[in-house]
Amino acid sequence: MGLTRLCLKNPAAAAVVLAMITLLGALSVSRLPVQLFPAIERPQIGIWTGWRAASPREVESEITEPIERELRGIPGVTVMQSWSNPGGAWISLEFALGTDMDKAFSEVNARMQQVRGLPADADRPRINAGGGGGDAGETLIFLFLQRLPNNSDTGARLSEFAEQRIAPELEAIPGVATVDVNSDDGEPILSIEFD
């Protein structure tokens, strides 16, 4: 009741306070961003499997189709797309908003372990949380592996070591989305992307 009495005794001051509140409210509302179609990125997981010197038809029949068969029916998947290119297959899984992505990633990983019959000379499938394609995460770290002067191993053997031993250890670190091993006729370069 004290505030009501104060306003009744000083109507001009109450009107000024009310006008200031209305003005600040109108100013705040006018500065709110409004989008008819807000940009919402759906959660994604991408899978890349490389197979050098293979045609797109071979990649589709030997890699893409077995992986797609194993991934069908994963809870929360709204869209599954695949591309079979010379040298590898790319599969993208898009999930519904609100999907527990840690659980979805574990499910995809478990199902990828069940895929059988991939070509022996194909690379192991790489699962990329975030979809990949350049916008999954940010590459913040590059690691360059070099041979010691007295080491006679070839660059290919060093790349194989990096893919089989180093990359899985780095991918197990929380926050790491993917680790790519690249070698262009020399020592391998590991690029690490984060979620």
Side-chain angles (χ1 to χ4, degrees):
M1 292 299 280
L3 182 61
T4 306
R5 280 194 193 115
L6 184 64
C7 290
L8 288 174
K9 285 183 182 179
N10 300 313
V16 169
V17 170
L18 186 59
M20 299 259 312
I21 290 173
T22 304
L23 182 64
L24 288 174
L27 187 64
S28 298
V29 167
S30 70
R31 292 186 181 208
L32 280 176
V34 177
Q35 290 181 324
L36 196 54
F37 299 105
I40 297 174
E41 292 186 22
R42 297 193 179 273
Q44 294 182 343
I45 292 179
I47 300 159
W48 166 255
T49 307
W51 189 20
R52 292 187 194 112
S55 70
R57 184 172 289 162
E58 291 172 321
V59 169
E60 182 175 3
S61 64
E62 299 293 323
I63 293 177
T64 306
E65 290 175 358
I67 292 175
E68 282 180 338
R69 273 194 301 272
E70 202 60 52
L71 294 177
R72 282 192 187 117
I74 291 180
V77 173
T78 57
V79 177
M80 182 189 315
Q81 294 179 321
S82 62
W83 296 268
S84 299
N85 303 313
W90 175 258
I91 298 172
S92 175
L93 303 172
E94 186 175 296
F95 291 84
L97 293 174
T99 302
D100 181 1
M101 289 309 291
D102 290 333
K103 193 173 180 182
F105 188 84
S106 297
E107 178 72 22
V108 169
N109 194 18
R111 290 194 183 203
M112 288 304 297
Q113 301 299 325
Q114 298 173 4
V115 175
R116 299 287 178 244
L118 294 180
D121 55 341
D123 297 339
R124 69 181 176 90
R126 296 174 187 264
I127 304 170
N128 185 350
D135 55 352
E138 206 172 321
T139 302
L140 296 177
I141 298 176
F142 290 96
L143 300 176
F144 299 88
L145 299 183
Q146 295 179 330
R147 286 177 279 163
L148 294 173
N150 60 354
N151 190 340
S152 62
D153 285 342
T154 63
R157 185 164 162 87
L158 197 56
S159 294
E160 182 181 332
F161 174 77
E163 285 180 10
Q164 293 178 355
R165 301 287 305 274
I166 299 173
E169 292 292 327
L170 292 173
E171 287 174 343
I173 298 172
V176 173
T178 185
V179 177
D180 289 324
V181 179
N182 302 309
S183 60
D184 296 328
D185 302 327
E187 282 82 14
I189 301 169
L190 285 85
S191 59
I192 303 172
E193 288 188 5
F194 296 90
D195 290 336

